[in-house]
Amino acid sequence: MLPVVRQQVSALEPTLARVCCYHLGFTDERGEPSGAASGKLTRAALMTAAAQGLGLRPEDVRTPAAALELLHNSTLVHDDIIDADELRRGRPAAWKVFGAELAILAGDALQALSIQLVVDDPGPGRAEISSAFAEATRLVLAGQSREFTVRLGAGAGVAEYERIVEEKTSALLQCALVTPALRAGASDHVLAALRGAGRHLGLAFQIANDVEDIWGDPAVTGKPVRGDIQRRNPSFPVLAGISAAGPVSDRLRELWEADGTSEAHLREMAGLVEESGGRRTAEKTSRGHLDTALEHLGRAELFPAATAELTALFDRIVNRTA
Amino acid sequence: MLPVVRQQVSALEPTLARVCCYHLGFTDERGEPSGAASGKLTRAALMTAAAQGLGLRPEDVRTPAAALELLHNSTLVHDDIIDADELRRGRPAAWKVFGAELAILAGDALQALSIQLVVDDPGPGRAEISSAFAEATRLVLAGQSREFTVRLGAGAGVAEYERIVEEKTSALLQCALVTPALRAGASDHVLAALRGAGRHLGLAFQIANDVEDIWGDPAVTGKPVRGDIQRRNPSFPVLAGISAAGPVSDRLRELWEADGTSEAHLREMAGLVEESGGRRTAEKTSRGHLDTALEHLGRAELFPAATAELTALFDRIVNRTA
């Protein structure tokens, strides 16, 4: 994990520090040092590569990169409570270890710390970057709420799915790519290109993630299999399967709209998604969004080495979403 | 409630808007307009009065005043979940109506909206005010965590109590008083005086609030009686009662350190706090902090009309804490 993150989180009020250090994999349940996974730092890596592509040094975005990882993790801590997800990166989720009460405060503290870092970061574009972070936070929360309340399939379709993903997933990826441009004072053209890249990267990633929820290996994802379809969270493969015509789709829709969450029920749904072509459509759509993300990236005209690095990163994000 | 708050909260993602509008008393459970209490807007009133005392107009702090009320309410929404408080301002708490999941997101959204308003507010002192808000948020969360984990009496005493209150209560009151000074570009002398006023105002208020928790009228407070001592939250009258010598104090300490939360148990504790002099000490200490807060306020040398208004506000805050 990033040194700034470790240092800032360790300096929180001791109990909050303990919960956050556990969530971030720095420590175990008893507060002892741990070699657990900290997350892949995808957003920090995107920000650093984009910065270099704009002629900045990695240290020019060190603070906002840490802030973005904190923001992302604040949403994970609360999301696990909301979804009653007991596992995160292969370990018990923070709320399972410390209780929902402290996990609520710890998530709040990570959100507050994130914005405090950017607000107090004296580099160029401070006001614009603070504003981008505040907006990204607002969008993620809107997307989480929409995801929690909408059941796709019953009226709501691809447009609603895309809106949710743009809010809950793309917003932070866009923030990662756009922050260096704000720091570098880049043109509106570059900003628009990076925003477009982040938007489609989020869609490509989320759709691949939905596929992985159904057919992924829990040892790789660190989460139980089929959790999203069990909770009837928006899932692109299901949506695509339901939208196809024919008896397989009809049966899928029937199961999706019923409340059943037994193992047999979920397994049957997974089979129907595959049979209806939902999985294939999802994989194709994810690839399409990745291609579009790369097209947008190309329009930003970053230094070629950074474009190559970002291309590799985009690919890794989408094709190994664990 | 402030028009900016109503407008901003109504523009949130529809489900979040619904939860927040309910919490703020704009609407009832079904989303219909409601004349329910919205809270007393104490922090906005302090900010506006301090602004006028520094030669600013109320509209110069309209945005941060709204932001501070949003921040305060974000902590209330989460605090009710954490404390399992079922009543807020005489109505079912937001989590009781909409579930903890949406109440978590709604509290997050209020926190994010608060900082977004100050970050995007183009008035003078924007960076300093954003920084003050981020720091106040961090402090409130630290105080809430400390309050949740510490049981006073067992080792922790007045110093720990004061620290918690300075974080969870004084921080937002200080933010209210200091923000206009940052906007007006006031001297360090004025800033320090206003910080001191906010610090002691918070202590005076919180101690009076602790007294009201035990002996207040639920019809006035909108909360069940003795909730704090039932949960063994930090309570100054209990702490003062425990710290006195003699058999009454010993019995109080014994009950406080035991887990009993029956009606009879809590009523006996309340009687012992009174008998041990804990209530009297608390009332005296609260008055002492109020006097000190007013001394600090005097040192800020605001326009006399504003000082008079703030003096009346301080008194109302401490002596009618409902």
Side-chain angles (χ1 to χ4, degrees):
Chain A
M1 183 44 83
L2 307 164
V4 179
V5 168
R6 188 183 280 262
Q7 169 204 327
Q8 291 287 334
V9 164
S10 304
L12 288 171
E13 183 276 332
T15 305
L16 295 176
R18 192 152 168 224
V19 180
C20 294
C21 283
Y22 170 81
H23 168 78
L24 290 164
F26 303 154
T27 51
D28 65 15
E29 286 92 332
R30 293 153 308 162
E32 304 294 327
S34 150
S38 278
K40 295 182 311 307
L41 300 179
T42 303
R43 291 151 195 83
L46 287 172
M47 198 187 285
T48 305
Q52 292 177 292
L54 290 154
L56 300 174
R57 298 160 305 169
E59 52 267 43
D60 293 327
V61 294
R62 189 184 289 147
T63 302
L68 190 57
E69 290 295 334
L70 289 168
L71 178 56
H72 172 56
N73 278 285
S74 85
T75 69
L76 299 182
V77 170
H78 282 184
D79 222 22
D80 286 342
I81 308 173
I82 291 167
D83 286 345
D85 262 333
E86 303 194 352
L87 279 181
R88 165 68 57 189
R89 298 176 193 130
R91 298 195 306 164
W95 69 274
K96 281 297 284 181
V97 177
F98 300 98
E101 297 90 342
L102 286 176
I104 291 173
L105 291 177
D108 288 347
L110 290 173
Q111 183 186 325
L113 185 55
S114 163
I115 197 80
Q116 186 166 30
L117 285 182
V118 292
V119 156
D120 288 343
D121 179 19
R126 172 186 189 170
E128 292 75 14
I129 293 170
S130 300
S131 189
F133 268 73
E135 176 67 3
T137 310
R138 192 186 68 71
L139 287 172
V140 171
L141 293 164
Q144 287 182 298
S145 174
R146 231 183 283 277
E147 176 177 41
F148 187 79
T149 43
V150 161
R151 184 182 291 191
L152 293 180
V158 171
E160 187 72 4
Y161 176 89
E162 288 188 350
R163 180 170 189 178
I164 291 170
V165 173
E166 281 167 37
E167 290 172 333
K168 76 163 185 159
T169 310
S170 297
L172 294 193
L173 300 171
Q174 287 177 310
C175 186
L177 295 170
V178 163
T179 294
L182 295 171
R183 178 126 294 169
S187 71
D188 285 350
H189 172 79
V190 170
L191 284 167
L194 293 171
R195 268 196 206 98
R199 173 173 182 267
H200 288 282
L201 176 61
L203 284 159
F205 164 74
Q206 190 60 57
I207 294 171
N209 200 280
D210 293 351
V211 171
E212 197 169 57
D213 172 70
I214 308 179
W215 295 282
D217 176 359
V220 175
T221 65
K223 293 186 290 187
V225 77
R226 292 190 281 273
D228 285 341
I229 62 168
Q230 181 184 339
R231 283 188 295 271
R232 305 298 194 270
N233 280 349
S235 165
F236 194 90
V238 174
L239 195 59
I242 285 177
S243 309
V248 176
S249 292
D250 292 345
R251 173 72 182 146
L252 174 60
R253 178 196 303 270
E254 196 183 300
L255 287 176
W256 176 255
E257 287 175 1
D259 287 331
T261 57
S262 71
E263 186 54 35
H265 202 106
L266 298 178
R267 219 190 302 247
E268 184 184 351
M269 279 172 64
L272 292 167
V273 175
E274 184 120 41
E275 219 182 315
S276 65
R279 178 178 188 170
R280 209 167 43 246
T281 303
E283 287 168 347
K284 203 175 128 200
T285 307
S286 173
R287 275 197 303 276
H289 281 298
L290 177 56
D291 290 343
T292 311
L294 291 171
E295 273 169 40
H296 281 281
L297 179 65
R299 277 182 222 136
E301 296 180 344
L302 307 180
F303 289 135
T307 300
E309 194 185 335
L310 283 166
T311 301
L313 265 172
F314 281 23
D315 186 68
R316 204 153 70 223
I317 290 166
V318 175
N319 293 312
R320 222 198 59 213
T321 64
Chain B
M1 183 45 80
L2 306 164
V4 179
V5 168
R6 188 183 280 264
Q7 171 204 327
Q8 291 288 334
V9 165
S10 304
L12 287 172
E13 182 275 333
T15 305
L16 295 176
R18 193 153 166 224
V19 180
C20 294
C21 284
Y22 170 80
H23 168 78
L24 289 164
F26 303 155
T27 51
D28 65 15
E29 286 91 331
R30 293 152 307 162
E32 302 295 325
S34 152
S38 279
K40 297 182 313 305
L41 301 179
T42 302
R43 290 150 196 84
L46 287 173
M47 197 186 287
T48 305
Q52 291 178 291
L54 289 156
L56 300 174
R57 298 160 307 169
E59 52 267 43
D60 294 325
V61 294
R62 189 184 288 145
T63 302
L68 190 57
E69 290 294 336
L70 290 168
L71 178 55
H72 172 56
N73 278 286
S74 84
T75 70
L76 298 182
V77 170
H78 283 184
D79 221 23
D80 286 343
I81 308 172
I82 290 167
D83 287 344
D85 263 333
E86 303 193 353
L87 279 181
R88 165 68 59 189
R89 299 177 192 130
R91 298 193 308 163
W95 69 272
K96 281 297 285 180
V97 177
F98 300 98
E101 297 90 343
L102 286 175
I104 291 172
L105 292 176
D108 288 348
L110 290 173
Q111 182 186 327
L113 184 54
S114 164
I115 198 79
Q116 186 166 30
L117 284 182
V118 292
V119 156
D120 288 343
D121 178 19
R126 172 186 188 169
E128 292 75 13
I129 293 170
S130 300
S131 189
F133 268 73
E135 175 67 3
T137 310
R138 191 187 66 73
L139 286 171
V140 171
L141 294 164
Q144 287 181 298
S145 174
R146 231 184 281 279
E147 175 177 40
F148 187 78
T149 44
V150 160
R151 184 181 290 192
L152 292 181
V158 171
E160 187 72 5
Y161 176 89
E162 288 187 351
R163 180 168 190 181
I164 291 169
V165 173
E166 282 166 37
E167 291 172 334
K168 78 165 184 156
T169 309
S170 297
L172 294 193
L173 300 171
Q174 288 177 312
C175 185
L177 295 170
V178 163
T179 294
L182 295 171
R183 179 126 293 171
S187 69
D188 286 348
H189 171 80
V190 170
L191 285 167
L194 292 171
R195 269 196 206 99
R199 173 174 181 266
H200 289 281
L201 175 62
L203 285 160
F205 165 75
Q206 190 59 59
I207 294 172
N209 201 281
D210 292 351
V211 171
E212 196 169 56
D213 173 70
I214 307 179
W215 295 284
D217 177 359
V220 175
T221 63
K223 294 186 290 188
V225 77
R226 293 191 279 274
D228 286 340
I229 62 169
Q230 180 184 339
R231 281 188 296 270
R232 305 299 194 268
N233 280 350
S235 164
F236 194 91
V238 173
L239 194 59
I242 284 176
S243 308
V248 175
S249 293
D250 292 345
R251 173 73 182 144
L252 174 60
R253 180 196 301 270
E254 195 183 301
L255 287 176
W256 177 254
E257 288 175 1
D259 287 332
T261 57
S262 71
E263 187 55 32
H265 201 106
L266 298 178
R267 218 190 301 248
E268 185 185 352
M269 279 174 64
L272 292 167
V273 175
E274 184 120 40
E275 220 184 312
S276 64
R279 179 179 187 168
R280 212 167 42 247
T281 303
E283 286 169 347
K284 205 176 126 200
T285 307
S286 173
R287 275 196 304 275
H289 281 299
L290 177 55
D291 290 343
T292 310
L294 292 170
E295 272 168 41
H296 281 281
L297 179 64
R299 277 182 223 134
E301 296 180 341
L302 307 180
F303 289 135
T307 301
E309 195 185 335
L310 284 167
T311 301
L313 265 173
F314 281 22
D315 185 68
R316 204 154 70 223
I317 290 166
V318 175
N319 294 312
R320 221 200 61 214
T321 63

